[in-house]
């Protein structure tokens, strides 16, 4: 009986040790690509000029994206058999730019506006569960920052009524651009599996939401100004490869 108890105890100890020694404990570096989508809403511009202090321009919501390149580093700690807590950071190295879009107001049109998202940086924690020594599922939560560039409209198309009163279409002078770095949060879910040695593959889905940037642009030389405070959120579906040191 004593021998049987010793065998059971030894087996339990070995199993516990195996779980505690997950292949994902320690430092790691990784790189990923896939698909990224950025959504901007509430883009309507409010215009002001000496003759019209409250001119509203309507803009449809914009969605733009492409293939990102995300580089990440981190460290995983074992906190209990089969459970790890990670800390990490990643950076999206490629920018994503929208196609040109227009604003309309009272039959008039401002065209040529664009948005560009770049320099996305995330800092996060990743609670994880080791399915076995070589497989890990994890959650992701933390802080995210993003630089958003707003290129102002560069062409004006007046309504028929304004054309009849002497207005004319043409390029907008001094149409520039502004950038704003905004903060928010990131949440995600992922899976990692060892391929060989310290090399692993992974898949991950992330959602990010940001505070509203504030943009204001002077158009032309007649004192006309437009401003907007869009809402921005993003998601990424990633697949990649990494190395656990």
């Amino acid at each position: 009986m004593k021998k049987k108890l010793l065998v059971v105890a030894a087996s339990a100890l070995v199993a516990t040790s195996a779980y505690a020694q997950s292949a994902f404990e320690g430092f790691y570096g990784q790189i990923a690509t896939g698909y990224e989508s950025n959504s901007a809403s509430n883009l309507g511009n409010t215009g002001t000029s000496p003759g019209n202090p409250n001119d509203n321009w309507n803009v449809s919501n914009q969605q733009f994206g492409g293939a990102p390149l995300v580089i990440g580093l981190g460290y995983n700690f074992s906190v209990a058999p089969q459970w790890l807590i990670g800390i990490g950071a990643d950076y999206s190295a490629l920018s994503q730019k929208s196609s040109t879009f227009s604003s309309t107001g009272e039959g008039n049109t401002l065209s040529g506006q664009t948005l560009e998202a770049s320099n996305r940086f995330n800092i996060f924690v990743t609670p994880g569960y080791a399915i076995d020594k070589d497989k890990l599922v994890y959650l992701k939560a933390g802080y995210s920052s993003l630089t958003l560039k707003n290129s102002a409209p560069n062409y004006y198309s007046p309504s028929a009524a304004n054309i009849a009163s002497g207005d004319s279409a043409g390029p907008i002078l001094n149409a520039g651009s502004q950038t704003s770095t905004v903060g928010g949060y990131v949440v995600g879910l992922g899976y990692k599996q060892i391929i060989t040695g310290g090399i692993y593959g992974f898949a991950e889905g992330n959602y990010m939401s940001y505070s509203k940037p504030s943009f204001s642009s002077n158009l032309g030389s007649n004192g006309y100004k437009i401003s907007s405070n869009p809402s921005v959120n993003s998601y990424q579906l990633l697949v990649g490869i990494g190395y656990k040191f």
Side-chain angles (χ1 to χ4, degrees):
M1 178 62 73
K2 289 183 178 180
K3 289 183 179 180
K4 290 182 178 180
L5 290 175
L6 287 173
V7 170
V8 171
S11 300
L13 180 61
V14 170
T16 301
S17 299
Y19 285 132
Q21 295 171 359
S22 167
F24 292 99
E25 288 183 52
F27 285 103
Y28 68 85
Q30 61 188 36
I31 188 168
T33 188
Y35 180 72
E36 174 182 313
S37 177
N38 301 284
S39 297
S41 58
N42 301 318
L43 281 164
N45 293 308
T46 299
T48 60
S49 66
N52 190 351
N54 188 18
D55 189 9
N56 293 317
W57 295 83
N58 299 314
V59 186
S60 61
N61 296 342
Q62 299 297 309
Q63 187 164 331
F64 57 98
L69 179 64
V70 183
I71 303 166
L73 294 170
Y75 188 92
N76 285 313
F77 303 85
S78 176
V79 293
Q82 293 183 265
W83 293 97
L84 294 89
I85 292 288
I87 56 173
D90 61 38
Y91 176 74
S92 295
L94 300 180
S95 61
Q96 307 290 343
K97 187 176 182 179
S98 74
S99 56
T100 58
F101 56 92
S102 301
S103 310
T104 58
E106 298 182 2
N108 305 301
T109 302
L110 297 173
S111 57
Q113 190 171 353
T114 61
L115 290 171
E116 183 176 359
S118 63
N119 296 322
R120 191 191 312 276
F121 182 72
N122 299 325
I123 303 174
F124 47 82
V125 295
T126 52
Y129 177 78
I131 299 171
D132 61 29
K133 183 176 180 293
D134 295 334
K135 300 181 181 68
L136 180 72
V137 292
Y138 59 93
L139 300 175
K140 180 177 181 179
Y143 172 80
S144 182
S145 69
L146 177 73
T147 298
L148 195 67
K149 180 180 179 181
N150 176 59
S151 296
N154 57 24
Y155 196 86
Y156 171 64
S157 301
S159 64
N162 283 353
I163 292 175
S165 63
D167 210 350
S168 61
I172 297 172
L173 300 176
N174 305 321
S177 62
Q178 283 191 320
T179 59
S180 177
T181 299
V182 291
Y185 65 85
V186 56
V187 291
L189 175 67
Y191 172 77
K192 295 182 177 181
Q193 181 170 331
I194 294 293
I195 299 172
T196 181
I199 300 173
Y200 64 87
F202 72 99
E204 187 175 285
N206 299 311
Y207 174 80
M208 293 141 287
S209 184
Y210 299 95
S211 59
K212 294 181 179 181
S214 180
F215 296 120
S216 180
S217 302
N218 293 311
L219 303 181
S221 57
N222 62 352
Y224 193 78
K225 179 186 292 186
I226 60 171
S227 58
S228 64
N229 301 96
S231 300
V232 181
N233 57 71
S234 311
Y235 70 82
Q236 293 175 330
L237 300 175
L238 304 175
V239 290
I241 192 166
Y243 186 80
K244 208 291 292 184
F245 296 95

